[in-house]
Amino acid sequence: MAISDSGPPIRRARRLALGALLLAVALVLAGLAGRWAGDAATDKLRLAGAQRLDGYAVSLENLLSKYDFLPGTLELHKDVIALLERPHDEELRDEVNAYLEQLNRQSGSTTIYIVNLDGVTQAASNWRSIYSFVGDHVAFRPYVRDALRGMPGGFYGVGTTNGEPGYFFAHGIYHNGRMLGVATVKVNIERLERGWEQGAGKVLLTDSNGVVFLSSVPAWKYRTLAPLSPEVAKELQASRQYSGHALAPLGMRELRRLDGDAAIVTLPEDQRTPVLSQTHSLAPRHWKFVYLSDLNSVRASARNVFLFALLVQALLLLLVLYLRQRTQTRAQLEAMVAERTVSLREMTQHLSEENSVRRVAEEKLRRAQSELVQAGKMAVLGQMAAGITHELNQPLTALRTMSDNARVLIERGRLEEASGNLATISQLVARMGTLTGQLRQFARKADASLAAVPLEAAIHAALFLVERRIEQERVTFRLQARDANVQALCDTNRLEQVLVNLFTNALDAMEGSAVRELVASVRSAHGRALIIVEDTGPGLPEDVRAHLFEPFFTTKPQGKGLGLGLAISEQIIREFGGELRAEAADTGARFIIELPLAQQGTT
Ligand code: ADP
């Protein structure tokens, strides 16, 4: 018992453990699938970002390269050289100013100006404006300083005069191998930002110090990617490159560095949402493009693939369970069918055995019944023996007397009287012949050939055998035929035998009755032929009626009744496909023979 008690909990625990393991495996697999999908989506995003960055870099370079040559060409203008040599010639300055103004307009740059070796602006395209650079000291500007040292410079900065940012190109002005000053062109590159704003990601451009000077997000401008070192901050302060801006750190945090120039970072405005950051260096200028893409789509596709993988595994599990269940159910069904087949086979065998036993029993019964019918006939014969003897003795005595008389009458020549005697003798012999014929027929074991039997005729034939008793015992006999010529499908002899039996029983029953009436009725109803035999005897008490058709049931004194008559009669009628039954009538007994109705015209 202990084993069976501890069985189910152990099995349940094992099933639970298996379920947990399956769940863990499913989660791991789904996680891996989600990760893979996330990586693939990130790669796609990186490719798109890299392409954008390439595009931005190319358009920036294109813009800048358009102006690269411009400062260098100014030394070709003789008035420029002349002004640098004669800095106090105001007329000349006006001409150079006008020239620069026109050149600036044509080239699309912001400002063009000329600086002497002391770093003082000699002429400028914006000489008419209130922000005119003419007379300004710009030696502190690194690009001017570099150009004065013989290195053509490029520099992005915020204008100190009007606060406008731009890219400054500077180039030394040489005449006869001697440097006279510096030509500077300022170009506005902020217009590039307008193109960036239309992209999906955020773009920013930083200088070599990590200061953002162009950005698709205006608020990020003049902020730094990382805090500036004190030296750099000091230097920027001195050059006034981003004059008027605090250059505070942007607050971008790197979460994870990916291979190449990519990293996962968070932005200052949303520290919880990771963003993909890609950089692209612009080598000659030491600038750096940063492109930031939203990782939402990556996360969504990773999540979707994770859920999809879970779903697929759940479906697979369901399929496996379903198939297992089906196999089990089929096995159970097959076992059940096999079991049923075996029991059916056993049942069939049992039935066929029973059937053969029944057939043997029926055969025995039929034989016994047939013998009983014979015995019954003999019994009736025995009963009738006295009457028959009497019946025959009387005509025999008459025959002897009449034949003796006939001989004497012939000897005396009274031939006419002798002839009358002989006629009477012939009648008597004929009557005796009929009687013995009937008896022979009754005693014969009949075969069961069925034919249409006229019932009235059968009643008359049966009556003939009991006629004498009817007369002697002063019984009134009536035949009531409601339907004329009703015919039943049966055997005449055996039906007559049944009728004789019923009549004899009625006569026996009425022996002590004051009123003695025997009534036989014939009719047809519902496709059946009916013969009803009624008497005015004592009738059938319940205890008698219950046993009427049992063989050897009799209430008659010994030697008179065998108790076989009704049993045999009932069997005979049943063999015809009919029924014999008894009813208690108002006065006396009523027996009903029901037989299959023969088609009119059947013989
Ligand atoms: P048996 O006539 O040899 O007794 P039956 O089988 O013919 O055998 O009849 C069985 C019994 O049924 C009779 O002994 C009698 O008691 C009863 N019985 C038969 N016919 C009648 C009848 N018409 N009226 C009263 N009782 C009857």
Side-chain angles (χ1 to χ4, degrees):
M1 281 326 274
I3 292 168
S4 70
D5 279 346
S6 62
I10 285 181
R11 211 176 306 145
R12 205 174 309 135
R14 215 179 277 160
R15 221 177 278 164
L16 260 175
L18 184 69
L21 184 72
L22 277 177
L23 186 67
V25 169
L27 283 173
V28 167
L29 287 178
L32 286 175
R35 177 96 181 257
W36 169 82
D39 287 350
T42 309
D43 286 349
K44 222 168 111 189
L45 205 62
R46 279 182 70 173
L47 191 69
Q51 280 170 354
R52 272 187 185 275
L53 283 176
D54 283 345
Y56 295 149
V58 167
S59 48
L60 176 68
E61 281 303 335
N62 280 348
L63 180 66
L64 296 179
S65 62
K66 236 170 78 181
Y67 297 98
D68 253 349
F69 70 96
L70 197 55
T73 56
L74 285 174
E75 67 183 14
L76 302 176
H77 201 277
K78 64 177 184 5
D79 287 349
V80 171
I81 301 295
L83 180 65
L84 287 173
E85 284 175 337
R86 301 199 302 276
H88 302 293
D89 187 340
E90 291 305 318
E91 209 172 312
L92 197 55
R93 190 187 317 281
D94 288 347
E95 270 175 38
V96 173
N97 277 341
Y99 166 67
L100 292 182
E101 187 179 17
Q102 189 196 2
L103 183 65
N104 186 56
R105 202 168 39 243
Q106 283 169 353
S107 65
S109 50
T110 310
T111 328
I112 304 178
Y113 54 103
I114 309 288
V115 179
N116 68 8
L117 292 176
D118 298 325
V120 181
T121 307
Q122 296 302 306
S125 60
N126 62 355
W127 62 282
R128 289 180 206 271
S129 131
I130 49 161
Y131 299 116
S132 168
F133 290 173
V134 181
D136 282 358
H137 283 264
V138 289
F140 63 92
R141 288 273 175 160
Y143 55 95
V144 177
R145 211 171 47 214
D146 289 348
L148 287 173
R149 286 189 201 130
M151 295 181 288
F155 175 90
Y156 189 88
V158 178
T160 44
T161 321
N162 56 9
E164 264 181 30
Y167 188 76
F168 297 85
F169 296 86
H171 196 279
I173 298 174
Y174 294 86
H175 185 65
N176 297 330
R178 192 167 58 89
M179 183 186 275
L180 298 180
V182 168
T184 302
V185 175
K186 179 183 177 184
V187 178
N188 180 356
I189 57 171
E190 273 187 319
R191 64 184 117 138
L192 286 173
E193 289 174 336
R194 281 199 289 282
W196 301 350
E197 280 160 12
Q198 285 151 21
K202 291 165 178 156
V203 193
L204 46 94
L205 183 59
T206 69
D207 66 8
S208 55
N209 295 317
V211 178
V212 178
F213 62 89
L214 285 186
S215 170
S216 60
V217 184
W220 292 355
K221 238 147 96 170
Y222 310 117
R223 308 280 293 273
T224 60
L225 289 183
L228 297 173
S229 68
E231 299 83 60
V232 173
K234 215 162 140 199
E235 196 182 306
L236 289 175
Q237 187 81 34
S239 68
R240 291 197 262 166
Q241 186 174 353
Y242 301 109
S243 65
H245 295 286
L247 307 180
L250 200 53
M252 197 183 286
R253 274 198 313 132
E254 186 176 297
L255 298 181
R256 184 155 57 98
R257 175 133 288 277
L258 305 177
D259 55 330
D261 294 324
I264 304 291
V265 302
T266 55
L267 298 182
E269 62 262 39
D270 183 1
Q271 294 285 344
R272 275 175 305 171
T273 312
V275 167
L276 175 70
S277 148
Q278 284 172 274
T279 55
H280 182 105
S281 296
L282 293 170
R285 297 178 214 282
H286 306 291
W287 290 353
K288 200 163 76 172
F289 262 118
V290 179
Y291 188 76
L292 301 163
S293 334
D294 200 340
L295 279 171
N296 275 344
S297 63
V298 171
R299 280 213 310 264
S301 72
R303 191 183 52 232
N304 288 348
V305 169
F306 173 78
L307 290 177
F308 182 71
L310 270 187
L311 188 74
V312 166
Q313 290 180 91
L315 284 177
L316 274 176
L317 185 70
L318 280 180
L319 186 71
V320 167
L321 288 178
Y322 167 72
L323 288 177
R324 223 181 76 168
Q325 180 72 26
R326 219 175 64 160
T327 321
Q328 278 177 358
T329 312
R330 190 183 296 163
Q332 278 171 356
L333 272 178
E334 277 170 4
M336 234 156 85
V337 167
E339 210 174 277
R340 291 277 154 84
T341 312
V342 167
S343 70
L344 262 179
R345 205 176 298 135
E346 281 172 357
M347 241 154 84
T348 314
Q349 201 176 336
H350 197 65
L351 269 178
S352 80
E353 279 170 15
E354 270 186 357
N355 219 17
S356 57
V357 168
R358 188 177 56 82
R359 228 175 288 128
V360 170
E362 273 176 4
E363 183 55 35
K364 268 190 196 160
L365 187 67
R366 220 180 346 262
R367 228 176 295 135
Q369 279 171 347
S370 170
E371 278 159 14
L372 279 174
V373 167
Q374 197 61 15
K377 282 179 186 171
M378 291 309 165
V380 173
L381 268 181
Q383 280 175 21
M384 290 191 300
I388 292 163
T389 313
H390 179 80
E391 192 81 9
L392 290 178
N393 267 346
Q394 195 206 7
L396 276 174
T397 315
L399 271 178
R400 192 180 302 134
T401 315
M402 303 241 353
S403 58
D404 286 351
N405 284 353
R407 197 158 44 86
V408 172
L409 286 172
I410 289 167
E411 279 170 4
R412 290 184 188 166
R414 289 159 62 182
L415 292 176
E416 211 161 297
E417 282 174 68
S419 163
N421 263 7
L422 285 174
T424 312
I425 288 169
S426 169
Q427 273 175 9
L428 284 169
V429 169
R431 187 175 163 191
M432 285 164 68
T434 313
L435 182 67
T436 51
Q438 293 265 356
L439 285 173
R440 196 172 52 247
Q441 222 183 47
F442 186 79
R444 204 183 65 215
K445 196 170 178 181
D447 55 0
S449 59
L450 303 183
V453 174
L455 296 185
E456 281 182 52
I459 290 170
H460 281 302
L463 204 61
F464 179 80
L465 290 170
V466 291
E467 207 172 29
R468 207 184 134 68
R469 270 192 77 182
I470 289 176
E471 278 171 21
Q472 272 185 352
E473 291 165 23
R474 289 189 298 283
V475 174
T476 316
F477 176 79
R478 274 190 294 131
L479 176 63
Q480 295 179 335
R482 198 189 284 175
D483 306 311
N485 194 23
V486 177
Q487 297 191 351
L489 198 63
C490 60
D491 174 65
T492 319
N493 291 328
R494 306 227 281 156
L495 178 63
E496 284 170 16
Q497 184 185 335
V498 172
L499 287 169
V500 167
N501 191 256
L502 294 184
F503 290 161
T504 310
N505 278 347
L507 293 176
D508 287 349
M510 289 190 292
E511 263 175 1
S513 304
V515 181
R516 294 175 191 171
E517 258 179 40
L518 179 59
V519 182
S521 317
V522 175
R523 71 173 80 138
S524 65
H526 310 297
R528 307 287 271 182
L530 299 178
I531 302 173
I532 302 155
V533 179
E534 291 164 297
D535 61 47
T536 51
L540 302 164
E542 194 57 46
D543 58 331
V544 171
R545 196 137 56 93
H547 304 287
L548 270 184
F549 298 104
E550 288 174 10
F552 305 108
F553 171 77
T554 180
T555 57
K556 294 172 189 172
Q558 211 174 5
K560 190 131 201 268
L562 267 177
L564 284 173
L566 286 179
I568 293 167
S569 301
E570 200 262 347
Q571 175 60 31
I572 289 171
I573 298 300
R574 189 139 32 89
E575 276 175 16
F576 295 155
E579 195 191 334
L580 172 62
R581 55 179 189 272
E583 283 177 4
D586 298 338
T587 55
R590 178 187 296 143
F591 284 86
I592 300 163
I593 302 173
E594 195 184 304
L595 288 168
L597 199 59
Q599 296 295 329
Q600 290 294 322
T602 314
T603 49

